[in-house]
Amino acid sequence: MRRVVCPGSFDPVTNGHIDIIRRVARQNEEVIVAVLVNVNKKGLFTADEKLDMLREATKEFDNVTVAKFDGLLVDFCRANDVSAIVRSLRSVSDFDYELQIAQMNYQLAGVDTLFLTANPKYSFLSSSLVREIAQYNGDVSALVPPYVEERLRVKYAELAARRVGRRRGLR
Ligand code: PNS
């Protein structure tokens, strides 16, 4: 059984991620999309919210499952019998960063990393840009699935309401 992992922060999942997951699922028997639970970095969405959006985004793919992990990715690979890590490259600067991590993961545990070049349609796309656009009520409908677009709208509305509540509490 050839099982690979697509790891990431997915804060939130974008159409670029989904394009990669679709292509990886075509090439492999089993794909785990693994969300990093980062204790050092507070994201916009919780790990469970990210999982929920990923499940919705990947529900059409029979051989894709979604999981979360903390700690080292190579430990997750060992524990889940994963034969390779798959990462996407949008640019040369992605490659500079990814090469170092891939070599370190190979050094740590002999786990290979396979690279897929991003669909040119999405080479400009990142979760951080999506967050920034959504924060200022920009149109992200071409960048994320409708379900994620709605979750972003709700999240920023909640954050805005909380800010107003805090300001009122100060008066
Ligand atoms: O979506 P991202 O933020 O580019 O994903 C980065 C991720 C989650 C793949 C990477 O940070 C990771 O694997 N973190 C887990 C800790 C780890 O194993 N680090 C590598 C040590 S060489």
Side-chain angles (χ1 to χ4, degrees), residues 30 55 77 97 105 134 147 161 166 171:
E30 230 184 88
R55 276 197 200 100
C77 292
Y97 171 73
N105 282 334
Y147 185 71
R166 266 202 305 272
R171 278 186 201 142

Side-chain angles (χ1 to χ4, degrees), residues 2-6 24 28 30-33 82-86 114:
R2 188 178 157 74
R3 180 183 293 154
V4 299
V5 65
C6 292
V24 175
N28 295 277
E30 230 184 88
V31 181
I32 307 176
V33 179
V82 163
S83 52
I85 298 162
V86 181
L114 309 174

